[in-house]
Amino acid sequence: MAATTAADAPAYTPEQLQSVRETLKSPRRLKTEVLAGLVVALALIPEAIAFSIIAGVDPRLGLFASFTMAVTIAFVGGRPAMISAATGAIALVIAPLVKSHGVDYFIAAVILGGILQIILGLSGVAKLMRFIPRSVMVGFVNALAILIFMSQVPELLGVPWLVYPLAALALVIVFGLPQLTTAVPAPLVAIVVLTLITVLASITVPTVGDKGELPDSLPSLFIPNVPFTLETLQVIFPFGLAVAFVGLLESLMTAKLVDDITDTRSHKSREAWGQGVANIVTGFTGGMGGCAMIGQTMINVKASGARTRISTFLAGVFLLILVVALGGVVSVIPMAALVAVMIFVSWATFDWHSIHPRTLKMMPKSETMVMVATVIVTVATHNLAIGVGVGVLVAMVLFARRVAHFVTVERTVTATDGHETATYAVNGELFFASSNDLYTQFHYALDPEHVVIDMHASHLWDASTIAALDAITEKYRHHGKDVKIIGLNEASTTMRERLGGKLGAGS
């Protein structure tokens, strides 16, 4: 039996590894999914409590959100094995609403954010992911790795000295055990070993229970007690929109990362509206809302080897069982074990290849600049949306600047039957960045009476270029010279016929 299992393992394609039906037929793969879900659930507990504190709400709201998000997204999400739960990104953008208007408005904003995510998902917002360059994606991953590590530093400051050898032992386990065997997830082993040591030896160190009170009941239906008025909408809409955009951005970026790790493709539009459904369900069960979590997703996919929706579903189920039925056991887990797990996740998440001297030497400086800008802004603001937005903006500016220099203008003067003609051959893509310099490339006063602008090797992309051509022809007419534009392709001709002379050029 063991020989058969070992032999048939390589036969699975990446797509087959994501099949729930096929996984249920394989005890070995099912065990991987179950143990992965358990490890993720254990790692979710202190994170959910910490994010609840950031948002300024009861820890139960974070724990309930993590349960409902994980279970719901397991069915409606578009990326198998990705973990969604309460997150720091959502907590940060919505925390001000809790302080100003209370928990009911907070939950109402989460539900509105879910509705907006469904609208954005169905309208195809996920397709915008194609405009995020690889250098921004690398910067996003590296920044997340740094933030994950930084979030663990406070757990190692001002603590009993025994925390350090315990954390070191856990690190040895999570880094070293996979070199010996992958039968059991190393993070789970580290958590069990450290818990047994601290309990049996009566060692007093910070534990999960110190983070906050665990719930002792199941989540129930929750209707926000807010007036259904335009004034309420005006209060919650900005926060709901922030929840929608930040949640979608982090979820879609994480989904793309998991796609690369697993060599599979996910349904981004489904993931987008699925996040909305999960947030609505979370809101109506009294949860604080959330989105995809890259740290727990990396534990699930990279550290534990999970590939299906089973692990995501079980992470939510195990979380609820652990905090409600086994809260006493979970509360004694030392934070040192979970810190070690998250440090491992940070190390595994960081793209070390991106900062290798050989890579930096080969990579265009502009792409390295984009990556560094994304990392710096994300780490400085602790806001993934701002970091990615700045990264994309820097990439656009550098790309426009680079492409603008690709446009060349060559001038030749020929004489036919005693009449001279100046011909300008324009080569390159003309858009707002490159067309602004086009106007200065012509010798208006020195050229003969007949001027030809040859556009065979060029293309007009926007109104800025049309306005530039109008300005050029108008300037030549001002000097009493005849100018003719030839060689425009069909698309450029259509645009010029529609906009030419109507943009105020030369006025």
Side-chain angles (χ1 to χ4, degrees), residues 365-396:
K365 288 183 173 58
S366 59
E367 295 203 24
T368 301
M369 190 182 303
V370 170
M371 187 266 285
V372 171
T374 304
V375 171
I376 291 175
V377 174
T378 302
V379 173
T381 63
H382 284 235
N383 191 312
L384 300 172
I386 295 177
V388 171
V390 169
V392 171
L393 182 61
V394 172
M396 289 171 58

Side-chain angles (χ1 to χ4, degrees), residues 124-148:
V125 70
K127 295 178 182 178
L128 295 177
M129 282 295 295
R130 72 184 67 178
F131 295 106
I132 298 181
R134 180 185 177 278
S135 51
V136 174
M137 183 67 186
V138 173
F140 165 82
V141 170
N142 289 348
L144 278 173
I146 294 171
L147 288 176
I148 291 171

